[in-house]
Amino acid sequence: MTKATPSLLLLLFLIAACVSKPYQKVGDYSYVQSANRQHKGWKLIWQDEFESNELDTSKWTKIPPNQADWGNYMTIDDRCYAIEDGKIYLKGIQNNDLKSDERPFLTGGIYTKGKFAFQYGKIEIHAKLESAQGAWPAMWMLSEHKKYGNYPKNGEIDIMEHINFEDKVYQTTHSYYTLDLKQTQNPPHGGTANFDKEAFNTFGLEWSPDKLVFTLNGKETFVYPRIENVDKSQWPYDQPFYLLIDMQLEGSWVGEADPEDLPVQMIVDWVRVYQ
């Protein structure tokens, strides 16, 4: 029997490595899950365990202030960030330095925009949520590109939102279909899940071409399916999305913040993405 040459062995190894990958990489940082991958075992493709003393800027960017309801107090100020003991602390604080920034509150958040995005797969975030009047910690996803136009046409996936002192989290989808066409019940676009807010919990999403399955501590809590015979804007979830994790304060939904409750934190232990 003829022995395989080293070059042939290398070629076979590279072919096997490519076949085993659960994704196709589009551009420098978008991971698109291969067809029918949801029927196979999950493989970890991206993670941050926050073991470094500094934010990994190859993966994350601090969220700057913006004009959205949730972004009024976003900042890159170091006072709203800390990484200690393998965890990142995203803080909402009362601003005591009004000379450099006139806003009464400041909040910390990170996102992967322009650095990591994925289409289909599973994401889990292990974190603890502190409570305060006006607190609005969130873990969510937005489209990396404007495939269908401006917001909300590309959709929004809210893996987890928590408000004030509640003992539940909200898991929701938003899109042109739900916001502009007001189709929030065909199918239902969100649900809630009770949780132990004194403990670390794992908030998750399993995303396939035909449904979004929201999870809490590994258990299914809400499903948003793709359905037929409705406006095509019902399913903009066929493109890469990036991740946002932020400790928001105030907004039309949560009301005003109470300075007596501050500072407040979202403590993130790890983030893991599988395909």
Side-chain angles (χ1 to χ4, degrees), residues 175-247:
S175 64
Y176 179 86
Y177 183 76
T178 66
L179 293 174
D180 291 71
L181 300 184
K182 310 298 183 184
Q183 295 296 315
T184 59
Q185 297 301 317
N186 183 32
H189 77 121
T192 61
N194 294 329
F195 80 119
D196 181 0
K197 64 184 181 183
E198 302 301 324
F200 277 84
N201 293 271
T202 302
F203 306 95
L205 173 78
E206 295 183 14
W207 173 19
S208 61
D210 61 351
K211 60 184 175 181
L212 300 169
V213 179
F214 295 81
T215 62
L216 175 64
N217 296 320
K219 297 181 179 180
E220 179 182 309
T221 49
F222 172 69
V223 178
Y224 185 73
R226 183 176 189 172
I227 61 175
E228 299 180 353
N229 302 318
V230 297
D231 192 90
K232 63 182 181 180
S233 64
Q234 186 263 333
W235 191 260
Y237 309 111
D238 57 354
Q239 58 181 313
F241 275 56
Y242 66 92
L243 174 66
L244 306 92
I245 306 177
D246 40 57
M247 181 62 252

Side-chain angles (χ1 to χ4, degrees), residues 1-273:
M1 185 171 69
T2 304
K3 292 184 178 180
T5 63
S7 58
L8 179 58
L9 289 173
L10 177 60
L11 177 60
L12 292 172
F13 173 79
L14 291 175
I15 292 173
C18 290
V19 170
S20 66
K21 285 184 178 179
Y23 58 82
Q24 296 175 346
K25 200 169 181 181
V26 179
D28 294 331
Y29 58 85
S30 292
Y31 294 72
V32 178
Q33 183 172 276
S34 302
N36 299 318
R37 181 69 199 177
Q38 64 267 27
H39 302 301
K40 300 181 181 180
W42 296 113
K43 290 190 176 181
L44 185 67
I45 65 159
W46 188 93
Q47 68 188 117
D48 199 340
E49 307 289 328
F50 301 107
E51 295 296 334
S52 173
N53 291 326
E54 296 182 353
L55 185 69
D56 186 343
T57 55
S58 70
K59 297 178 177 179
W60 304 99
T61 301
K62 293 179 179 179
I63 300 176
N66 58 74
Q67 299 303 310
D69 195 32
W70 60 271
N72 291 325
Y73 302 126
M74 282 291 142
T75 183
I76 63 172
D77 192 311
D78 288 341
R79 288 178 292 167
C80 291
Y81 302 85
I83 299 181
E84 300 173 359
D85 302 321
K87 300 176 181 65
I88 186 168
Y89 295 75
L90 304 174
K91 306 178 183 181
I93 66 171
Q94 185 174 12
N95 183 19
N96 295 319
D97 183 12
L98 297 178
K99 290 184 178 180
S100 59
D101 192 323
E102 297 181 348
R103 295 176 295 171
F105 306 109
L106 298 175
T107 57
I110 53 177
Y111 60 15
T112 66
K113 184 178 182 180
K115 297 179 178 180
F116 171 73
F118 73 104
Q119 179 178 331
Y120 312 138
K122 178 172 75 170
I123 182 169
E124 292 188 323
I125 303 166
H126 192 57
K128 182 178 181 181
L129 314 176
E130 293 185 352
S131 296
Q133 177 58 46
W136 184 9
M139 305 166 182
W140 51 304
M141 296 166 59
L142 291 172
S143 65
E144 182 65 31
H145 308 290
K146 294 183 178 181
K147 181 176 181 179
Y148 297 111
N150 293 324
Y151 184 89
K153 292 185 176 180
N154 293 289
E156 172 184 330
I157 304 170
D158 295 331
I159 300 169
M160 182 288 303
E161 293 177 283
H162 179 248
I163 62 174
N164 302 320
F165 295 91
E166 292 186 352
D167 294 315
K168 62 183 177 181
V169 294
Y170 297 80
Q171 299 171 309
T172 320
T173 63
H174 298 292
S175 64
Y176 179 86
Y177 183 76
T178 66
L179 293 174
D180 291 71
L181 300 184
K182 310 298 183 184
Q183 295 296 315
T184 59
Q185 297 301 317
N186 183 32
H189 77 121
T192 61
N194 294 329
F195 80 119
D196 181 0
K197 64 184 181 183
E198 302 301 324
F200 277 84
N201 293 271
T202 302
F203 306 95
L205 173 78
E206 295 183 14
W207 173 19
S208 61
D210 61 351
K211 60 184 175 181
L212 300 169
V213 179
F214 295 81
T215 62
L216 175 64
N217 296 320
K219 297 181 179 180
E220 179 182 309
T221 49
F222 172 69
V223 178
Y224 185 73
R226 183 176 189 172
I227 61 175
E228 299 180 353
N229 302 318
V230 297
D231 192 90
K232 63 182 181 180
S233 64
Q234 186 263 333
W235 191 260
Y237 309 111
D238 57 354
Q239 58 181 313
F241 275 56
Y242 66 92
L243 174 66
L244 306 92
I245 306 177
D246 40 57
M247 181 62 252
Q248 304 162 179
L249 282 177
E250 297 198 334
S252 56
W253 185 24
V254 298
E256 295 183 356
D258 185 346
E260 296 296 322
D261 292 339
L262 304 179
V264 63
Q265 304 177 122
M266 174 164 50
I267 308 168
V268 182
D269 187 13
W270 47 258
V271 181
R272 297 170 185 165
V273 179

